Amino acid sequence: MKKIDESKLIDSETILTEKYGAPGTESRREFDEKACAYYYGVILRDRRKELKMTQNELAEKVGTARSYISRVEKGETDIQLSSFLRIARALRIEFSPVFI
């Protein structure tokens, strides 16, 4: 079995800092927002596919264009909370608010 030289391992935070800047910087904030938008888009796309629904069908249910659904699923647009909730409702995704 091959041994790993642990001194050469780099953690993800180091990689992110090198590529996108330190936490709290503008460039890192922009990266985090884009990553979050992409993640939400993947969740919505996977659920739509699970329901065997096309982007056109979802767009009709939500009252928007198919191109908007496509941009949301790719994380290419800054989706408003109201739009996210409309899409989620059409996909039968329920949220329970948690207040801490």
Side-chain angles (χ1 to χ4, degrees):
M1 181 147 61
K2 194 172 190 177
K3 290 190 178 191
I4 296 174
D5 182 355
E6 292 185 24
S7 68
K8 293 185 180 183
L9 294 178
I10 301 172
D11 64 58
S12 60
E13 184 57 44
T14 300
I15 294 169
L16 289 172
T17 298
E18 288 175 1
K19 190 163 185 174
Y20 301 104
T25 62
E26 183 63 22
S27 60
R28 183 61 172 272
R29 186 190 60 74
E30 288 175 10
F31 168 77
D32 289 343
E33 286 177 4
K34 287 178 184 178
C36 192
Y38 177 79
Y39 177 69
Y40 292 141
V42 167
I43 291 170
L44 295 174
R45 183 198 66 217
D46 287 351
R47 176 63 176 163
R48 176 182 59 78
K49 287 182 174 185
E50 183 180 296
L51 295 173
K52 297 180 180 11
M53 187 183 297
T54 66
Q55 287 181 342
N56 277 331
E57 291 169 334
L58 178 57
E60 287 177 18
K61 282 186 169 211
V62 175
T64 190
R66 186 210 55 80
S67 60
Y68 178 72
I69 298 298
S70 176
R71 289 192 315 274
V72 167
E73 289 183 355
K74 293 177 186 175
E76 294 175 348
T77 188
D78 187 12
I79 187 170
Q80 293 182 353
L81 179 59
S82 59
S83 297
F84 179 81
L85 292 174
R86 271 197 333 269
I87 293 169
R89 204 170 311 121
L91 294 171
R92 299 187 307 241
I93 298 172
E94 298 219 7
F95 293 95
S96 299
V98 177
F99 300 98
I100 300 173

